[in-house]
Amino acid sequence: GMALMFYFLLIRPQSKARKETEARLAKLKAGDEVVLSSGFYATIDRVEDKDLWVKLGSSVVKARRSAVAALASESEPKP
């Protein structure tokens, strides 16, 4: 009873959210504008296995794929 409720209220939603995040990170491609976990907006220059090369201003820097918090288009506040 209690364990089943715990599963459906806590564990299952976290698992679903993790899978959605992994799927979104797998689809990243050059030219996508993203928001990094640090809060910086960057444009993806090229994609490697676990890393991305992103443009920050006039510089291109290496970042972990997991540092992407969201696509910039998804981070806009909803009216």
Side-chain angles (χ1 to χ4, degrees), residues 16-74:
K16 186 177 179 182
R18 188 181 71 247
K19 286 179 185 177
E20 289 172 358
T21 300
E22 288 172 1
R24 188 171 61 243
L25 292 178
K27 293 180 187 175
L28 293 174
K29 61 188 180 307
D32 286 349
E33 189 173 337
V34 295
V35 179
L36 301 176
S37 56
S38 61
F40 287 114
Y41 282 73
T43 303
I44 296 175
D45 187 58
R46 67 182 185 268
V47 178
E48 294 179 354
D49 185 33
K50 292 183 180 178
D51 300 315
L52 303 169
W53 290 88
V54 296
K55 295 178 193 171
L56 284 170
S58 60
S59 301
V60 176
V61 297
K62 189 175 185 178
R64 299 294 286 179
R65 225 180 245 256
S66 58
V68 174
L71 288 172
S73 60
E74 294 174 353

Side-chain angles (χ1 to χ4, degrees), residues 1-13:
M2 190 65 125
L4 189 63
M5 187 170 72
F6 182 76
Y7 172 78
F8 279 105
L9 290 176
L10 297 175
I11 297 172
R12 191 164 183 249

